[in-house]
Amino acid sequence: MHTSALVLFSGGQDSTTCLAHALERYQRVETIAFDYRQRHSVELDARRVVLQEIRKQFPAWTLKLGEDHLLDLAVLGAVSETSLTRDTAFKMEASGLPNTFVPGRNLLFLTLAAAVAYRRDLQVIVTGVCEADFSGYPDCRDDTMKAMQLALSLGMDKRYLIETPLMWIDKAATWAMAFDLGQRSGVAQGGQKLVDLIVEHTHTCYLGDRTHRHVWGYGCGACPACELRKRGFDRFAAPAD
Ligand code: ZN
């Protein structure tokens, strides 16, 4: 029986939903993120605010929410030439991957997360990777996660579970999952409260735009991340008929 988890928490919509998932499911939950000199520190600011708001609005979850770990990973920015760490425009590479792909990023994140989980005696590593995502990042695939789970468990001689609650669902279903988790939080209108919190405080936009507010949150409205978030929210919010 698993009772504790470490959530890879970037401050975006997906990882905030994963955090809610872990808080609903486990007794002790800690969070981790990496500063790899992202082009915008907006994400790192967002995660502080999201954690604050969760503590403020969801008392039952606050009791389970433990330490937050922020690891310096500047070396990742130094070895990769991508539009997430450099000031270059987004485009598709000849490989078929967008130039937002940071090779090995998730592999590094999971390895470091497992090292922290080892030290903190946390059993489950929760990550918001998704195969239904537009980007097709190979380090977000289910096969990669299974291989990492095996490698980390063998390499650290500890049985890790890598949990990926969003692996097979699209963004509309991610919003619906957040609503459902909020409903089960014990807070009145918790579903709407969690959706509102995600809209207002999480950050997804590749350009780091926090000036344009839409019904689905802040962002430029045009980059691939904004498009995906907007389309998902529209389908989630559309009245069923
Ligand atoms: Zn954007």
Side-chain angles (χ1 to χ4, degrees), residues 19-27 29 61 64 181 184-185:
L19 177 58
H21 163 92
L23 287 167
E24 207 269 327
R25 202 170 179 131
Y26 302 113
Q27 295 312 306
V29 176
W61 287 352
K64 303 171 167 187
L181 289 164
R184 289 189 266 139
S185 66

Side-chain angles (χ1 to χ4, degrees), residues 90 203-209 214 216 218-227:
F90 303 101
H203 185 79
T204 309
C205 175
Y206 280 154
L207 304 183
D209 186 326
H214 315 265
W216 44 267
Y218 289 93
C220 71
C223 76
C226 281
E227 292 244 324

Side-chain angles (χ1 to χ4, degrees), residues 129-239:
V129 291
C130 175
E131 269 205 31
D133 205 335
F134 73 103
S135 54
Y137 293 159
D139 58 349
C140 291
R141 291 179 192 149
D142 195 46
D143 282 349
T144 308
M145 293 302 117
K146 290 195 168 92
M148 281 305 284
Q149 177 173 287
L150 184 62
L152 294 171
S153 296
L154 291 174
M156 298 191 195
D157 198 17
K158 183 180 157 85
R159 204 174 253 260
Y160 289 109
L161 175 65
I162 296 182
E163 200 172 51
T164 56
L166 311 182
M167 182 58 81
W168 306 111
I169 66 173
D170 65 13
K171 281 281 187 284
T174 303
W175 285 108
M177 181 189 281
F179 185 88
D180 184 53
L181 289 164
Q183 285 296 88
R184 289 189 266 139
S185 66
V187 170
Q189 272 93 52
Q192 194 55 50
K193 278 190 178 144
L194 187 59
V195 168
D196 290 347
L197 187 161
I198 290 172
V199 165
E200 195 62 35
H201 300 296
T202 68
H203 185 79
T204 309
C205 175
Y206 280 154
L207 304 183
D209 186 326
R210 294 296 291 172
T211 55
H212 298 93
R213 170 66 153 84
H214 315 265
V215 285
W216 44 267
Y218 289 93
C220 71
C223 76
C226 281
E227 292 244 324
L228 198 67
R229 177 161 163 149
K230 174 189 182 313
R231 259 184 306 163
F233 189 83
D234 287 349
R235 268 182 296 128
F236 163 68

Side-chain angles (χ1 to χ4, degrees), residues 35 37-48 208:
D35 182 355
R37 309 297 185 267
Q38 294 91 322
R39 275 209 300 182
H40 311 285
S41 59
V42 178
E43 252 191 29
L44 297 177
D45 295 338
R47 65 190 300 285
R48 270 192 296 274

Side-chain angles (χ1 to χ4, degrees), residues 4 49 75-76 78 83-84 100 103 117 119 146 170 172 184 199 212:
S4 59
V49 178
V75 66
L76 188 57
S83 66
L84 286 188
T100 47
R119 179 166 57 82
K146 290 195 168 92
D170 65 13
R184 289 189 266 139
V199 165
H212 298 93

